[in-house]
Amino acid sequence: VQPPALDVKAAYREALGLQLENSSAKAEDLYRKIIASDPNHTDALNNLGVIVMAGGDRQEAIGLFNKVIALKPDSADAHYNLACIYANLEDSKSALEHLEKAVVINPELHKWASRDRDLQNLWALPKFKKIISRG
């Protein structure tokens, strides 16, 4: 007997609620079930990336965000999240490339970038200042 199919929409709403309540382990488990059921669910892939990034698994997070971008090139969130990871890895070239793409897609992100501690090692760079001045 097959288990009932996962109601992806309901599961996503539940996972997002858990994530917002800081129940990261439960949210991660549910996002993984959603992705197993729908491997191209870009919101679940992105949010799982945020959780694993916060947990310290930058390589898995990079893979998840790159998959989101492969499926949905205009994902400002995935580009922004990659900018944060690369900034923390002190790869300012990659960080600035992704930040620039994110801000072009969603100009509102320039407000976040100037306050986001994940990007603080970029703040003094001329290219960073140029990117956030566009918003």
Side-chain angles (χ1 to χ4, degrees):
V1 178
Q2 287 267 0
L6 181 69
D7 179 342
V8 171
K9 283 187 176 166
Y12 179 75
R13 282 193 303 273
E14 183 183 344
L16 189 58
L18 289 165
Q19 187 175 9
L20 294 173
E21 294 166 8
N22 292 319
S23 297
S24 296
K26 289 179 182 173
E28 178 179 348
D29 184 52
L30 202 45
Y31 285 133
R32 290 189 189 282
K33 287 178 181 163
I34 293 164
I35 294 162
S37 178
D38 177 2
N40 297 332
H41 195 296
T42 54
D43 291 331
L45 288 161
N46 185 73
N47 292 355
L48 178 59
V50 169
I51 291 171
V52 299
M53 176 174 65
D57 190 342
R58 292 179 177 149
Q59 287 314 117
E60 183 182 5
I62 288 169
L64 289 162
F65 297 136
N66 279 323
K67 182 167 184 185
V68 172
I69 291 166
L71 293 165
K72 188 178 168 191
D74 65 341
S75 173
D77 290 345
H79 281 293
Y80 188 89
N81 290 330
L82 280 171
C84 292
I85 290 177
Y86 286 124
N88 282 306
L89 292 172
E90 298 188 12
D91 179 350
S92 57
K93 182 179 183 294
S94 296
L96 290 166
E97 284 173 15
H98 284 287
L99 181 62
E100 188 166 33
K101 288 176 184 171
V103 170
V104 166
I105 296 163
N106 180 359
E108 291 295 305
L109 290 174
H110 82 278
K111 295 175 189 168
W112 283 95
S114 59
R115 296 189 306 263
D116 191 331
R117 294 246 172 251
D118 283 328
L119 301 173
Q120 72 183 14
N121 62 359
L122 305 176
W123 290 348
L125 300 176
K127 183 161 182 177
F128 179 83
K129 293 175 180 173
K130 184 178 174 190
I131 291 168
I132 64 160
S133 71
R134 291 188 191 138

